[in-house]
Amino acid sequence: MNIAIIGSGTMGSGIAQVAATSGCAVKLFDLNQEALTKSKKALETTLSKLVEKEKINYTEKSRIQNNISYVNNLQDLSDSDLIIEAIVENLEVKRKVFSELETLVSENTILASNTSSLSIASIAASCQKPERVIGIHFFNPAPLMQLVEVVPAVQTSEEVLQKSVQIISDWKKVVAVAKDTPGFIVNRVARPFYSESLRIYDEGVADFATIDWALKTIGEFRMGPFELMDMIGHDVNYVVTETVFTAFYFDPKFKPSFTQKRLLEAGFLGRKSGRGFYDYNKELPKPIEDTILAKSIFERVIVMLINEAADTLFLNIASAKDIDNAMTKGVNYPKGLLTWADELGINWCVEKLDDLYNEYHEDRYRCSAILRRMANKGDRFFEVVGVR
């Protein structure tokens, strides 16, 4: 199969490696020849490390490298069966690229965008054959992260959806099919991990280090929310939060925090700038290791995450299985949120959310209708906890 990737940055190069590893003939396109050279060198380094670790041998390394061609002329992509665009998150730029691509390729070529938040329907509308357009969203780093969100637009044909799912599955990725709504699955469902933790800090309940410690200790998350936001960078994480908030017509449950906005405005972007929630030029602060406080923090964050996952199911954004897979395979949560809801108890979730709503009288704490209905019926998301 002939695959083309547009954009040779970290994400585009990673997707090219995935496709090439699976045996596809890949053309990695970028107008910038220097960027292509950098990508080729980076792949050499990556594959050499895999050889050193005995994950692959020299023959496999050569096979992967030989499967990738580096091109800077769009005409070279004309024989592609699938093209995945992985360029700047700008709708007009993407629409222009897709419109131009359509004039170069066959009518059977699938055109896909790796966008994490933009409307696939809007991108598809730039094409004469919008039914061939779909979202195929990888997570960074693409060779390591198992999840890929496949997002059909309202115009996407069923054939293109099924072909796309099969291709990505053949690349040994876990596919989660999501409706074309802001944030798809992961970037929507994960918002409370950040926003509710920020709200807890803004209220003076606990400091950054204690909140991080609470969620790692009680919740067994690999990283705390403030560590994670600092690693992602506030120029990325805050912008995604603001984008989702705006796209959902300013729904208060997605409301950004001024604490994070001020860091962005100050240029304190996290690890990349040496300072974010934490100052990485100094010794990092110690948490207050109070297990009662930690349990309270964890319960407040986890129930908000569960509520968002439940709403995502309620609104038919994705299936229960795909929602849980998305959070465990896409952002490495210790378990799926709907599985977590079953374990904690649907009634407990409803009572916890109602307690928060009764305390604050803010719409951000409204309980998802599906949770309330399930509590009334004594239902669970899965027949047997953990079996999907």
Side-chain angles (χ1 to χ4, degrees), residues 343-361:
E343 291 181 4
L344 290 168
I346 305 300
N347 282 310
W348 178 88
C349 295
V350 172
E351 289 169 7
K352 191 71 180 175
L353 287 162
D354 284 348
D355 286 345
L356 287 166
Y357 184 82
N358 289 335
E359 180 178 357
Y360 292 97
H361 286 278

Side-chain angles (χ1 to χ4, degrees), residues 33-283:
Q33 185 59 51
E34 187 178 331
L36 289 172
T37 302
K38 182 180 178 182
S39 174
K40 190 173 184 178
K41 288 180 179 177
L43 180 64
E44 165 67 30
T45 301
T46 297
L47 295 179
S48 294
K49 287 180 180 177
L50 290 176
V51 171
E52 288 174 17
K53 295 176 181 178
E54 299 184 349
K55 299 284 182 70
I56 61 173
N57 57 31
Y58 283 105
T59 302
E60 175 72 353
K61 175 188 173 186
S62 296
R63 184 187 71 81
I64 295 169
Q65 288 176 310
N66 291 336
N67 280 344
I68 303 178
S69 303
Y70 298 83
V71 302
N72 59 8
N73 188 335
L74 272 181
Q75 297 280 354
D76 292 332
L77 311 185
S78 61
D79 62 347
S80 302
D81 299 303
L82 167 65
I83 300 178
I84 302 176
E85 163 274 311
I87 59 174
V88 62
E89 282 286 91
N90 180 293
L91 180 59
E92 291 311 310
V93 172
K94 290 182 189 292
R95 284 168 59 90
K96 183 178 178 182
V97 168
F98 274 68
S99 181
E100 185 174 356
L101 279 173
E102 196 174 35
T103 66
L104 305 175
V105 299
S106 81
E107 62 178 19
N108 295 319
T109 301
I110 296 173
L111 303 180
S113 175
N114 184 62
T115 181
S116 61
S117 59
L118 297 176
S119 163
I120 306 301
S122 292
I123 296 171
S126 66
C127 294
Q128 294 297 313
K129 286 193 56 156
E131 63 272 16
R132 67 161 79 196
V133 178
I134 195 165
I136 299 181
H137 177 220
F138 286 77
F139 289 78
N140 199 25
L144 298 181
M145 299 304 290
Q146 292 179 279
L147 182 77
V148 176
E149 292 177 323
V150 174
V151 187
V154 292
Q155 305 101 309
T156 307
S157 72
E158 183 63 25
E159 181 185 7
V160 166
L161 171 60
Q162 294 307 321
K163 280 186 178 179
S164 300
V165 168
Q166 188 60 57
I167 290 167
I168 302 304
S169 298
D170 289 345
W171 292 358
K172 296 181 171 57
K173 294 296 184 181
V174 175
V175 174
V177 178
K179 189 185 287 187
D180 183 16
T181 56
F184 309 140
I185 304 172
V186 172
N187 279 325
R188 174 190 180 137
V189 175
R191 289 349 291 164
F193 189 65
Y194 313 116
S195 62
E196 198 59 26
S197 298
L198 279 158
R199 180 63 181 263
I200 290 168
Y201 168 79
D202 287 339
E203 292 177 11
V205 174
D207 60 16
F208 303 137
T210 300
I211 297 169
D212 278 348
W213 177 80
L215 287 160
K216 289 188 294 182
T217 302
I218 307 295
E220 298 183 355
F221 288 92
R222 294 188 184 183
M223 296 182 73
F226 298 103
E227 292 176 309
L228 184 52
M229 284 186 279
D230 270 358
M231 187 187 79
I232 294 169
H234 303 296
D235 53 334
V236 176
N237 183 265
Y238 176 82
V239 170
V240 171
T241 298
E242 192 173 56
T243 300
V244 171
F245 178 55
T246 303
F248 276 108
Y249 307 110
F250 307 102
D251 187 327
K253 67 180 178 177
F254 297 115
K255 186 178 180 181
S257 166
F258 281 114
T259 294
Q260 189 178 25
K261 185 179 184 183
R262 293 296 179 257
L263 290 178
L264 176 63
E265 291 169 341
F268 297 159
L269 305 181
R271 284 191 174 273
K272 69 178 75 175
S273 67
R275 181 174 172 184
F277 292 114
Y278 298 106
D279 187 339
Y280 295 94
N281 300 305
K282 300 178 181 178
E283 183 179 351

